Amino acid sequence: MRSPVSDYLEEVRGSCMDGGDEGQLASYIPELAAVDPDRFAIALCTVDGTVYAVGDVEQRFTIQSMSKPFAYALALADRGLAGVLEHVGVEPSGDAFNEISMEDDGRPRNPMVNIGAITTHALVGPPEATAEQSTARVIQGLSAFAGRQLEVDEQVFASERETADRNMALAYLVRAQGKLEDDPRDAVDGYTRQCSLQVDVRDLAVMAMTLASSGRNPVTGEQVVPAWVCRQVLSVMATCGMYDAAGDWMSNVGIPAKSGVSGGVLGALPGQVGIGVFSPRLDEFGNSVRAVRACERLSNDMGLHLMQAPEIASTVLHGVVEPDDDGDQLREVRLQGTMHFAAAEVALRQLEQVPEDAAPVVLDLTRVSSANDVGRRMLREGVRRLQLDGHQVRVDDPNGVLDD
Ligand code: GLU
C-alpha cells in the first residue's frame, strides 16, 4: 500500500504553489540569490523516526537562522540555563532579525535574532573553549540533531563573510557590553559557518523532531541534549522564532518554529511531529511564502495547533468492580490510557470513593500504556493512602508504568 500521508503531502505541495512567484529571494548574501526560486519540498518526521518527504527532497540549502535553536540548545546543555541567561535573554524583540535588540542591561534580547545568536554561538562548549572549539562543537552538535555529518557550504560562507559588516557591528556592541565571550571577529566567523551548514528538508524534519522528542534523535536514538533544554528552546521558538511575524505565526499555525533567509522553515510540535519545508521566495518578514502556506495547511488539516486542547481525559476509568459477599471478587479499580495530571486526578477521585472497610483493593493498570512523572507519583500516593487506611492493595501493572 502506498502511504496516504505521502499523497496528502503531495496535495499540500501542489495547492501551495498557487500564486506562482510571490515573494523575493534573499539577496543581501549574494550567493543566496543564485538558487532556483521554484524549488519546493516538504518533509515530516514522526515520533518513531519515519520520514515522509515530497518535492525537491534532494535539494540542499544553507540552514541560516534555522541553526539558531540548535546552537542555543547546545549552549544550554553546556553552560546551564543560568549561565546562558547571564548573556542572552528570552524576550521577543518585535524587531527585524539584524536589529540592535538589547535589554537595558546590555544582553541581547533573545537567541533567535542575530545579535543573540552570535553571542550564543560563543557560549557553546566549556568556558575555556577557544572560538574554533566552539564552532567545531556547533557543527558536531547540529550533525547529531540531523543524524548525519553536516558540511559547510564554503561558497555561501565566503559570500556572507564578505558582507557581514552588520553582524560584526552587532558582535562588537555585545562585546562592549561585556556579554560576548569571544573576539567579535571569531564569533561572527563561527556563527557564519554555523549558518552555512547545508541541509535538506529531511534533515530539518529530523532535527525538529529531535527537539520535539525531548532531545532524543528519533532516527539514531542518540540523546543529543537533555529534555529540559528542549522545553526551553521550544518556548523561545514559539515566541521569537518567526522574525517579526512570530505573533501571527503562533496564532495561525501554533507550532514552535524557526525560519531562515534561505527559504526554509522548521516546526517542532512536542511529542508529535517535526516539519521541514523549503521554498526560497520570502515574504516581507523574511519567511518563505510557500513554507508558511504549507505549515498553515498542515496545522489546520492535522489539528497541530499547540493551543488546541487535547482530548480531555474522560476515558481514564475502564470500570469499577464492587466486591461480592463470598470474597471471590475483590474491589477493583480499572484504569486505562496515559496517566498525566488530569488522568491521575480522575483516578485518585475514584480511589477516594473506596469505603474505609479494610477490604482489599485491586488497582488494575493492565490497560494503562504509560505515565509521566506526576501521574506516576499521584497513583503511588493513592496506593499509599489506601494502605494507610488499612486496605491491602494489589497493583496489576504488567507494563511497569509505576516503575521509575
Ligand atoms: N546568516 C544570516 C545572517 O546572519 C542568517 C539570517 C537569517 O536566516 O535570518 O544574516
Side-chain angles (χ1 to χ4, degrees):
M1 183 192 98
R2 185 182 146 84
S3 163
V5 178
S6 306
D7 289 346
Y8 164 70
L9 290 181
E10 287 285 9
E11 193 272 306
V12 171
R13 182 172 176 273
S15 76
C16 294
M17 295 220 254
D18 298 346
D21 55 359
E22 250 176 74
Q24 303 285 332
L25 292 181
S27 57
Y28 76 105
I29 301 173
E31 197 65 22
L32 287 185
V35 299
D36 175 355
D38 290 321
R39 298 288 178 160
F40 187 14
I42 305 177
L44 291 188
C45 179
T46 63
V47 184
D48 63 2
T50 303
V51 178
Y52 299 93
V54 298
D56 299 301
V57 295
E58 305 303 330
Q59 177 69 44
R60 294 217 166 140
F61 47 91
T62 51
I63 190 167
Q64 298 300 338
S65 274
M66 291 172 287
S67 63
K68 291 171 180 172
F70 303 100
Y72 184 48
L74 297 170
L76 288 165
D78 292 348
R79 302 294 183 92
L81 182 58
V84 174
L85 282 178
E86 242 175 71
H87 295 263
V88 189
V90 289
E91 292 305 326
S93 70
D95 293 330
F97 71 102
N98 57 5
E99 266 315 306
I100 305 173
S101 304
M102 287 171 123
E103 304 285 356
D104 293 343
D105 62 6
R107 285 180 310 158
R109 280 241 153 86
N110 69 65
M112 301 297 138
V113 285
N114 285 7
I115 191 168
I118 296 165
T119 310
T120 302
H121 181 95
L123 292 172
V124 176
E128 63 282 3
T130 62
E132 292 77 43
Q133 286 167 336
S134 293
T135 304
R137 160 102 173 108
V138 167
I139 295 175
Q140 168 262 323
L142 264 67
S143 300
F145 272 105
R148 71 174 186 90
Q149 185 60 48
L150 302 178
E151 312 278 348
V152 171
D153 181 328
E154 294 292 342
Q155 263 173 311
V156 173
F157 168 67
S159 176
E160 180 167 1
R161 196 161 59 161
E162 291 274 291
T163 54
D165 295 339
R166 192 169 174 99
N167 281 343
M168 202 67 89
L170 295 172
Y172 272 103
L173 208 53
V174 189
R175 177 75 177 177
Q177 299 286 347
K179 302 293 178 194
L180 180 63
E181 286 194 346
D182 289 342
D183 179 289
R185 284 162 301 185
D186 293 339
V188 171
D189 247 39
Y191 160 78
T192 308
R193 280 197 169 275
Q194 167 192 318
C195 290
S196 304
L197 287 168
Q198 284 183 305
V199 288
D200 57 32
V201 277
R202 284 199 190 95
D203 296 325
L204 292 183
V206 173
M207 293 173 89
M209 193 62 221
T210 303
L211 281 180
S213 306
S214 302
R216 188 178 165 279
N217 183 313
V219 177
T220 63
E222 181 181 348
Q223 187 71 41
V224 182
V225 289
W228 70 265
V229 163
C230 295
R231 191 178 85 168
Q232 176 72 13
V233 173
L234 291 170
S235 308
V236 175
M237 282 165 71
T239 51
C240 315
M242 295 299 283
Y243 301 122
D244 24 357
D248 254 355
W249 173 271
M250 200 54 204
S251 48
N252 287 339
V253 180
I255 299 175
K258 185 72 199 86
S259 61
V261 286
S262 49
V265 172
L266 65 85
L269 190 64
Q272 288 201 50
V273 70
I275 300 174
V277 190
F278 170 66
S279 181
R281 289 198 191 85
L282 309 179
D283 63 18
E284 74 268 33
F285 300 110
N287 296 320
S288 163
V289 174
R290 287 174 175 175
V292 170
R293 250 187 236 152
C295 290
E296 282 174 355
R297 271 278 323 259
L298 295 176
S299 172
N300 282 328
D301 294 354
M302 298 197 283
L304 299 180
H305 200 296
L306 197 59
M307 299 306 168
Q308 192 167 303
E311 283 298 299
I312 302 298
S314 57
T315 51
V316 177
L317 204 61
H318 185 259
V320 178
V321 184
E322 292 300 330
D324 59 12
D325 290 340
D326 48 21
D328 287 343
Q329 175 61 59
L330 301 179
R331 172 172 286 115
E332 253 187 75
V333 177
R334 295 176 180 160
L335 305 179
Q336 62 188 6
T338 298
M339 289 297 134
H340 43 57
F341 171 79
E345 189 276 337
V346 173
L348 284 185
R349 229 175 319 131
Q350 203 57 46
L351 298 185
E352 249 182 277
Q353 320 260 313
V354 172
E356 292 189 22
D357 57 5
V361 178
V362 178
L363 182 62
D364 181 5
L365 305 182
T366 314
R367 294 171 197 81
V368 174
S369 51
S370 62
N372 69 4
D373 192 44
V374 67
R376 198 175 298 127
R377 289 207 319 259
M378 287 169 75
L379 288 187
R380 281 201 195 133
E381 182 60 13
V383 170
R384 194 181 75 89
R385 289 186 182 208
L386 284 177
Q387 287 166 336
L388 285 177
D389 285 350
H391 297 278
Q392 241 188 14
V393 184
R394 192 182 90 209
V395 182
D396 291 343
D397 183 14
N399 303 320
V401 291
L402 290 197
D403 299 346
D404 274 327

